[in-house]
């Protein structure tokens, strides 16, 4: 079985629903992390890391919207709002600082102009825990993930000028 990441509220290539768009910075969204489900993790998976990244942000290095580490290997889904303070993150999971400057989910918030890609990635790791804190940078998490990655699965959704959210 292939390692896959899915959501009941969008599919790969869809426009991000308004419920998942940021609330602020000129955006009028719900800022709720989406419900996500994954299956087919490789043998030897000891934990997962979940990220949301915008490679099109005009920063020269993209924009990290959500970083969740230390998801137990037994975890196969997250409910809507789990990264938005509504509960649903499993015991031991940790949200680290995003490019908004705080931990937690931050939805799509592109500046006026072109459509941006928002890439949700679940990565299976060969270690039960990454030794990071809520103040760790997404770059540090990425460095550690790349050393312990077994497999990754992604969904990319779109948002920006000219898109219409469902």
């Amino acid at each position: 079985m292939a390692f896959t990441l899915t959501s009941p509220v969008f599919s790969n290539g869809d426009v991000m629903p308004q419920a998942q768009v940021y609330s602020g910075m000129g955006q009028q969204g719900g800022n709720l992390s989406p419900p996500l489900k994954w299956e087919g993790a490789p043998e030897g998976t000891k934990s997962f890391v979940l990220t949301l990244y915008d490679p099109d942000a005009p920063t020269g290095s993209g924009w990290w919207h959500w970083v969740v580490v230390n998801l137990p290997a037994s975890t196969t889904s997250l409910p809507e709002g789990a990264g938005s303070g509504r509960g649903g993150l499993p015991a031991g999971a940790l949200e680290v600082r995003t490019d908004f400057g705080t931990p937690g989910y931050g939805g799509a918030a592109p500046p006026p102009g072109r459509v941006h890609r928002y890439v949700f990635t679940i990565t299976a790791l060969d270690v039960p825990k990454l030794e990071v804190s809520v103040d760790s940078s997404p770059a540090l998490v990425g460095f550690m993930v790349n050393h312990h990655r077994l497999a990754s699965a992604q969904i990319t959704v779109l948002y920006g000028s000219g898109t219409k959210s469902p």
Side-chain angles (χ1 to χ4, degrees):
M1 172 184 275
F3 189 31
T4 60
L5 175 63
T6 59
S7 176
V9 298
F10 52 72
S11 296
N12 199 53
D14 284 354
V15 172
M16 183 176 280
Q18 203 64 29
Q20 279 67 56
V21 172
Y22 192 72
S23 179
M25 295 174 45
Q27 307 299 323
Q28 305 271 330
N31 204 45
L32 289 174
S33 61
L36 297 167
K37 179 182 178 184
W38 52 95
E39 59 187 1
E43 188 174 323
T45 298
K46 295 182 179 170
S47 68
F48 296 100
V49 169
L50 176 66
T51 60
L52 173 57
Y53 176 69
D54 172 4
D56 303 313
T59 63
S61 61
W63 191 273
W64 292 97
H65 286 257
W66 194 23
V67 181
V68 186
V69 302
N70 303 338
L71 289 160
S74 60
T75 308
T76 58
S77 66
L78 293 177
E80 183 174 66
S84 307
R86 292 194 172 186
L89 286 178
L94 176 69
E95 294 175 296
V96 303
R97 180 173 47 92
T98 67
D99 287 337
F100 288 105
T102 58
Y105 177 84
R114 68 185 213 172
V115 172
H116 287 227
R117 295 168 290 159
Y118 293 87
V119 183
F120 290 87
T121 304
I122 189 75
T123 303
L125 303 181
D126 65 359
V127 293
K129 184 177 179 181
L130 294 180
E131 295 297 330
V132 295
S133 72
V134 296
D135 294 324
S136 295
S137 71
L140 175 62
V141 171
F143 177 81
M144 296 171 108
V145 164
N146 283 323
H147 284 283
H148 295 286
R149 176 191 321 263
L150 293 172
S152 294
Q154 297 182 327
I155 302 175
T156 300
V157 293
L158 309 172
Y159 192 78
S161 297
T163 61
K164 293 189 180 198
S165 290

